[in-house]
Amino acid sequence: MSSTHTQETIAALATAPGRGGVGMIRISGPLSQQIGLQLSQRSAMKPRYAHYGPWYDAQGRLLDEGICLWFPAPHSFTGEDVVELQGHGGPVLMDRLLQSVLALGARMARPGEFSERAFLNDKLDLAQAEAIADLIEASSQQAADNALRSLQGEFSQAIVALVEQVTQLRIYVEAAIDFPEEEIDFISDGKVSADLAGIIAQLAKVKASATQGALLRDGMTVVLAGRPNAGKSSLLNALAGRESAIVTEIAGTTRDVLREYIHIEGMPVHIVDTAGLRETQDVVERIGVERAWSEIAAADRVLLLVDASETQATDPYQIWPEFVERFPASHKVTVIRNKVDKTQEALGLDVTASTPIIRLAAKHQQGIDVLREHLKQVMGFQGTTEGHFSARRRHLDALTQAEQALYEGRYQLENLGAGELLAEDLRRAQQALGEITGAVSADDLLGKIFSSFCIGK
Ligand code: GDP
Ligand code: ZN
C-alpha cells in the first residue's frame, strides 16, 4: 500500500445538495481527525464508531448536532484519514458546517477528488473508480447491476488477466530475440501462435461484454427525419408511449429539435425529432434546420420517414437527396414508410434493398415492436439479462486498440516471421489494456522480465 500522495485535506458535501433528512460532509487528509475533534469538542474518537453529539465552530457557536465517524488511514474510502459528518440535511446548515470545516484548514475538494485519491492510494483501479460514477448515474437496473459488477472488480480482473497473458507472451518472445543462442525457435514453435490465439479469443469475449455494458450505459441516438406531416412526432410518441411531442395536422409544427428518452430493455435511446427539414425563410425554422443537420451527423441511426399514402419511395435518394449528398456513404439510415394503415402494404422489416425499410403505422402503434427490435439489432444490443461490465467509450477504444495490436502481431508472426515486430505489438496491446485500469508502466514490465527469467550470463 503506497502512502498518502498528498498533504492537503479536502472536504465536500457528499450527499445531494438540497433538503434531506440527513446531509453528509466528507473530509479526507491529514487534518481530518483534528477537524472532527475540534468541531465536536472531543479529545478522542474511536475508529469507525458513531460519535453522536453537537458541533461548534471556532467561536463556540452551535452549528448542528449529528454523527461523526472517523476512519483512520488506510482503512477508508480514499486510503487517507477520513472523517464523515452526518448532520441534518438542510442546505444552510450543511453550508455553514462545510465553511467551518474549511476554516479549520481543509480546502474544497475538486470533482472526483475523493475517488482520485482512492486510486492514487491503490484502493481502486481506474475502471473501478469510473464504476462508482456509473453506479451513481445509472439510469436503469441493468446499468446499475453492471456498474456494481465493475466496482467489485470483475471487469478489472478480466483486464488484469489479459495483461498478464500478454506480458508472459512478450517475455517469452523477447527472450527468444535477445538470446538467440537459447535457440528458442519461437516462430515454428506452436506455443506463440497458440497463446496469441488464446489471448485474442479472450479479448474478444471481454470486449463483447464491455460493448453490451457500454450500450446499457450510453445507449444510442436516433434521429427522426422527414417532411412535415410524415409522422415524426407520432412515431416519437409511439416509441415513448406518451404524448410528449405536439402532434398536429398543420405542417411545420415541430419547429425546434425535440428530445425524448426511452429504454429498450434497459438500453437508453435518445430520440431526436428534427425540425421538418426543408428550405425556409423563417429564421426560427432555419436555425432548427441547421441544428437538425448536426444532430444527424452525430446520430447512431437516422430514421427517414415518409407518408406511405403519399409516395412509393423507398430509396433514401428519392426521399431526401440532400441527405445522400451530405452523407454519401452513410449506412445508418432506415427508411420508415409510415401510415401503412392507409395503403395495402404489409407491416414489418424489409431488407431486400440496400437500405432497410420498415413499414408501420405510428398513430396506431402498429409495427413499433419491429422498429424497437431493429434498433437493438443495428446497435448489436443483445438485451440479455446476463451480466455485463459497465464499460465506457474509453474502455472500448482501449480494447479495440489492444485487439488491433494483437491482430498486427499475429500478421507479423505468421506472414513475416518478425519476432521483434511481434514484441512491439504485444507491448502496444499491453499498454492499451493497462490504460483501462491505469496499472501498467514500463517499470512493471522490466521487473517482470528480470524476475521471471534467471538468465545469469
Ligand atoms: P410530423 O410533422 O412529421 O411530426 O407528423 P405528425 O406526427 O405531426 O403527424 C402528421 C399527421 O399524420 C397527423 O394528423 C397524424 O395523426 C397523422 N399520422 C401520423 N401517423 C399516422 C399513421 O400511422 N396513420 C395515419 N392514418 N395517420 C397518421
Ligand atoms: Zn412533428
Side-chain angles (χ1 to χ4, degrees), residues 69 76 82 107 186 205 209 222 262-263 316 399 416 432 438 457:
L69 292 155
S76 71
V82 166
R107 70 159 170 80
F186 70 95
K205 264 183 160 172
S209 182
V222 174
I262 62 164
H263 280 122
L399 287 167
L416 310 171
K457 287 185 178 168

Side-chain angles (χ1 to χ4, degrees), residues 228-229 231-234 245-248 252-254 258 273-274 276:
N229 269 329
K232 295 180 296 300
S233 303
S234 302
I246 314 153
V247 182
T248 166
T253 311
T254 314
L258 264 175
D273 177 5
T274 61

